[in-house]
Amino acid sequence: MIDHDDMRQDAEWAAAQLERGHLLAKLSTGDRQQQLSEAIACYEAALQVYRREEYPREWASAQKGLGDALAQLAAGEREANLRRAIACYEAALQVYRREEYPREWAQLQHNLGTVYSQLPGGERSEQLRRAITCYKAALSVFRGEQFAFQRAITLQNLGNAWGDLPTGERHRNLERAIACYKAALRLCDRQEHPLEWARLQNNLGTAYLSLPARNRRPQLERAIACYEAALQIYTHVTHPYEWATVQQNRGNAYLQLPGQPRRVNIERAIMCYQAARRVFTRDAYPWEWARLQNNLGIAYAELASVGEEQERHPYLERALICLQAALEIRTPETAPLDWAATQLNLGNVYRSLPGRKRQEYLARAIDCYRAALRIYNRASHPVEWALTQSNLGNAYADCLGPARCTFLHKAIAAYRAALQVYTRDAFPYEWARVQHNLGVALQQLAGHQSGLLRQAVCCYRAALQILTREGHPEEWAQLQRALGDAWSSLREGNRYRHLRQAIACYAAALEVYRPDCTPTLWAATLQALGRVYRRLPARGRSRQVALRQALACYDQAQQVYTREAFPFEWAQLQFERGKAYSQLGRDPRSRSGYLEQARNCYRAALRVFYRLQMDRQAAAVDLALSRLRKAQALQFRPHLPPHRS
């Protein structure tokens, strides 16, 4: 016989457990994890009494509450807790159907999306796509004024999911994220919901920060504006953690901001990081502190690239200290992805270090990149893998020594690996940069293998499709200079046409390189242009004109390459001027003066090369001087009439 009193007592007890679970789950003070553990125990106790058939609404409410608590629980196995939460939500959806309980159904869809977006594991892309589907389902109910705030929160989370999605077209995903954040901001009133408004501003700034574009400056300026808006709500006193997080993000935006004044922007980034360090100390927030150390290392390395020459090494040493400090927290066991990112940055710093130990530093850089590639693979982290392959190629390309050819082959292999991910459509800028570097490596190897110079020319031309003069003037000029070098070295085919192509490329580069802004690049390009004019195959008057154009280029280059400031470059110029005068001296009508000028140039170059103890260069000048003496001896040999017997 059924005891209805016992059943009623059980139901009352279950209701009390359910109510206690709800109260514990809502508490915002005290030991949050302990409260969540107790709430879970209450929900599980209630579910021992509540059966779906007898108490469908109470059962569904307990399932939802249990899912919410498990989703927030940090203790135990995180993935197992999240998967249990998914099971609870799906169970609750058996009762909370959209037709009968639209609000509860939509809230469950939202919560399911949140759990899927947090779920760790190798199926990250699939989980985020499930989250996106859930958020979209929730938005189909959250409409109108009564659901304005819930819609704003769901739009924010949908934006987060689009921004985190590792597959698909990155640019399109981020544009979707930005659209979600903007829509949410239109619904979220700053006065009524200041914290959510600030969080949305921060997330919108981060989406702009991540957005790839040919000209990133407008997006980065928008990101900075968003972060500064968030800091109107988040202060060091009221919300220290959020304030420090936004300061760090703001620093990231300043660090990436291109254009002038570049040094000022880097220094602003460092100031933001140092501000965040007031909150993110090693003891209180070790992981955030490590992230700050990593970012400070990047900033100091960037500062070294734009600072004075005497500042370069000290800034790079600071960068090393910061990155090595980050690795005290970031280990391959506890934080493999963060560890790999810091290894990548450490490799970049070692690759930038100058000095007599340059080759040793490059070997360390290669070790760092290889370490990062133990974590990054093409399947799971394609973008990071491609970036590391590209930087590994740069390190190999800089290596010198007896194994130079082997290093260049390894560089080419690394660049081609990077291009498997960096396609023109998905990553146009990165694709163009790697094409440029691949061209340089092929060109340097061309002396040991035929056909590589033409491949280099193809790489440079491909890169110029993206790196235009309007969008990227400095890189465009570098490419024009490299393309000029390739054309001038190409022996197969029409030599005259190739050299004319080289002249056009150098002239194009000189449209960007100016003596007041980039004096050394301007002088080096003029020297290369003069060299091509001197080698131009022509006869008669055309030959004389080309040689005089070469001398005009050399004379201009001497405005920068002075004997005091650039002794080696000055001596090289004198050597090449001597060659031009020597070639002009082959004209019998003006031979004497030109040959004497050639001799003076050779002697000037020889004195500097001897002083610099550059024996190979001195030997080349000595040989040219010896040939010149023979030419002069032939010039002054007396003309004897033919002997008649």
Side-chain angles (χ1 to χ4, degrees):
M1 187 174 180
I2 299 174
D3 191 335
H4 293 284
D5 289 338
D6 288 346
M7 289 181 63
R8 186 166 53 253
Q9 288 174 0
D10 287 346
E12 290 172 355
W13 177 82
Q17 291 294 330
L18 181 59
E19 182 63 25
R20 186 167 185 268
H22 288 337
L23 290 172
L24 286 166
K26 291 177 182 177
L27 289 174
S28 58
T29 58
D31 188 339
R32 181 66 177 149
Q33 295 303 307
Q34 179 62 34
Q35 291 159 358
L36 287 171
S37 297
E38 291 178 15
I40 289 168
C42 291
Y43 291 131
E44 288 174 337
L47 287 168
Q48 292 175 12
V49 174
Y50 289 145
R51 297 288 183 268
R52 178 187 166 188
E53 296 76 14
E54 300 169 1
Y55 302 95
R57 291 191 61 180
E58 292 82 355
W59 177 83
S61 178
Q63 291 285 4
K64 179 184 178 298
L66 180 57
D68 291 345
L70 286 166
Q72 298 175 62
L73 190 65
E77 181 61 39
R78 178 67 174 156
E79 183 175 354
N81 291 339
L82 291 173
R83 292 197 181 278
R84 281 187 65 195
I86 290 171
C88 291
Y89 292 144
E90 289 175 343
L93 283 169
Q94 297 172 25
V95 174
Y96 289 144
R97 296 185 178 89
R98 176 172 178 169
E99 296 76 17
E100 300 171 59
Y101 303 98
R103 181 193 291 268
E104 291 81 357
W105 180 86
Q107 191 61 55
L108 278 167
Q109 292 290 349
H110 173 272
N111 294 0
L112 260 175
T114 302
V115 173
Y116 275 125
S117 68
Q118 295 174 1
L119 198 62
E123 302 174 353
R124 180 71 174 150
S125 178
E126 180 59 31
Q127 290 151 6
L128 284 169
R129 290 201 176 276
R130 287 179 183 173
I132 288 167
T133 301
C134 292
Y135 290 137
K136 286 181 175 179
L139 288 170
S140 68
V141 172
F142 289 153
R143 296 177 181 276
E145 189 65 30
Q146 60 176 330
F147 293 119
F149 184 66
Q150 291 94 325
R151 185 173 180 83
I153 297 301
T154 308
L155 280 166
Q156 177 173 220
N157 291 340
L158 179 58
N160 295 344
W162 279 121
D164 292 340
L165 193 65
T167 55
E169 189 180 342
R170 180 68 174 152
H171 190 277
R172 182 65 183 135
N173 291 343
L174 286 167
E175 284 182 334
R176 288 168 174 154
I178 289 168
C180 289
Y181 295 140
K182 286 182 173 179
L185 279 167
R186 288 194 292 271
L187 296 168
C188 187
D189 182 72
R190 175 180 169 176
Q191 304 301 324
E192 191 174 349
H193 303 287
L195 296 182
E196 288 304 327
W197 183 86
R199 187 176 295 112
L200 277 165
Q201 291 288 356
N202 177 64
N203 291 352
L204 180 57
T206 301
Y208 278 127
L209 177 63
S210 306
L211 192 66
R214 291 189 180 183
N215 181 12
R216 296 194 67 210
R217 188 176 185 90
Q219 283 85 355
L220 290 170
E221 287 175 341
R222 288 179 189 140
I224 291 168
C226 290
Y227 293 137
E228 289 174 348
L231 289 171
Q232 295 172 19
I233 305 298
Y234 294 146
T235 69
H236 178 248
V237 176
T238 59
H239 300 88
Y241 184 90
E242 291 80 3
W243 176 83
T245 299
V246 177
Q247 287 287 5
Q248 180 160 219
N249 292 343
R250 185 166 164 246
N252 295 343
Y254 273 123
L255 186 59
Q256 297 178 39
L257 193 64
Q260 301 302 324
R262 179 70 181 133
R263 177 167 186 153
V264 172
N265 291 333
I266 297 170
E267 289 172 343
R268 285 173 178 166
I270 291 171
M271 289 173 63
C272 291
Y273 296 145
Q274 289 173 339
R277 214 159 48 171
R278 292 164 56 191
V279 175
F280 291 156
T281 63
R282 177 170 179 167
D283 293 336
Y285 298 99
W287 295 107
E288 289 80 359
W289 176 84
R291 187 181 298 114
L292 269 176
Q293 293 295 334
N294 179 75
N295 292 347
L296 270 170
I298 298 171
Y300 281 123
E302 287 289 319
L303 201 54
S305 68
V306 300
E308 300 295 331
E309 188 62 32
Q310 64 271 19
E311 297 174 316
R312 180 173 173 77
H313 202 279
Y315 281 138
L316 289 172
E317 289 288 349
R318 284 193 200 179
L320 282 178
I321 291 169
C322 292
L323 293 169
Q324 287 164 348
L327 288 174
E328 295 172 9
I329 303 297
R330 296 178 164 188
T331 69
E333 294 78 25
T334 58
L337 292 178
D338 291 339
W339 177 81
T342 304
Q343 288 288 352
L344 174 59
N345 295 330
L346 193 58
N348 294 342
V349 174
Y350 275 126
R351 186 165 56 85
S352 303
L353 276 168
R356 290 177 296 177
K357 295 183 179 180
R358 172 80 174 141
Q359 298 306 305
E360 180 186 330
Y361 295 143
L362 287 171
R364 290 184 185 178
I366 289 168
D367 289 341
C368 291
Y369 295 139
R370 284 175 169 173
L373 287 171
R374 297 207 304 266
I375 305 298
Y376 295 148
N377 61 69
R378 184 183 170 187
S380 62
H381 300 91
V383 176
E384 294 82 359
W385 178 82
L387 175 60
T388 309
Q389 290 285 1
S390 175
N391 290 358
L392 179 61
N394 293 341
Y396 276 129
D398 289 343
C399 287
L400 304 176
R404 173 72 174 155
C405 289
T406 302
F407 290 135
L408 286 172
H409 279 294
K410 289 182 176 180
I412 290 166
Y415 291 140
R416 285 176 172 159
L419 288 171
Q420 295 173 25
V421 173
Y422 285 158
T423 62
R424 178 177 173 175
D425 293 336
F427 299 93
Y429 179 76
E430 291 79 3
W431 175 82
R433 288 289 302 271
V434 176
Q435 288 286 359
H436 182 183
N437 293 338
L438 177 58
V440 173
L442 289 166
Q443 185 174 342
Q444 292 175 349
L445 199 58
H448 303 273
Q449 188 176 334
S450 62
L452 295 185
L453 266 179
R454 288 198 177 274
Q455 291 183 39
V457 168
C458 290
C459 290
Y460 295 144
R461 284 178 159 175
L464 282 168
Q465 297 170 19
I466 303 298
L467 302 175
T468 62
R469 180 179 176 181
E470 294 74 23
H472 305 274
E474 293 178 4
E475 289 161 307
W476 179 83
Q478 289 175 10
L479 276 164
Q480 293 289 356
R481 170 70 195 278
L483 192 53
D485 292 343
W487 281 122
S488 67
S489 303
L490 197 59
R491 302 293 177 184
E492 309 111 12
N494 189 322
R495 178 68 173 154
Y496 180 83
R497 185 176 298 168
H498 294 163
L499 290 175
R500 278 293 173 191
Q501 291 268 25
I503 288 170
C505 291
Y506 290 138
L510 288 169
E511 294 172 11
V512 174
Y513 294 152
R514 309 304 304 166
D516 52 340
C517 301
T518 51
T520 55
L521 291 171
W522 177 77
T525 307
L526 277 168
Q527 184 176 5
L529 180 59
R531 193 178 301 123
V532 173
Y533 274 126
R534 185 172 55 78
R535 293 174 178 172
L536 203 62
R539 295 181 180 178
R541 183 171 179 80
S542 296
R543 179 66 175 157
Q544 299 288 314
V545 170
L547 288 169
R548 288 191 178 92
Q549 286 175 312
L551 285 167
C553 291
Y554 295 145
D555 289 343
Q556 281 184 282
Q558 282 188 123
Q559 297 174 27
V560 174
Y561 285 158
T562 63
R563 180 172 179 172
E564 295 74 21
F566 298 93
F568 172 76
E569 289 80 1
W570 182 85
Q572 279 289 112
L573 271 176
Q574 299 308 316
F575 186 22
E576 293 189 25
R577 289 177 76 237
K579 290 179 182 178
Y581 280 126
S582 178
Q583 290 169 317
L584 279 170
R586 293 173 187 171
D587 185 349
R589 291 168 296 179
S590 56
R591 176 179 296 173
S592 177
Y594 286 134
L595 292 180
E596 185 63 27
Q597 286 176 295
R599 186 181 68 170
N600 292 338
C601 289
Y602 287 149
R603 285 178 172 174
L606 200 59
R607 284 193 293 270
V608 173
F609 285 142
Y610 277 143
R611 180 168 59 83
L612 296 175
Q613 298 181 339
M614 308 189 79
D615 296 337
R616 186 170 60 85
Q617 288 82 358
V621 178
D622 207 21
L623 179 61
L625 197 54
S626 175
R627 289 173 178 167
L628 183 65
R629 291 193 191 100
K630 290 179 182 178
Q632 286 180 309
L634 289 172
Q635 174 188 356
F636 292 111
R637 181 179 294 174
H639 178 70
L640 298 175
H643 175 70
R644 295 180 181 178
S645 57

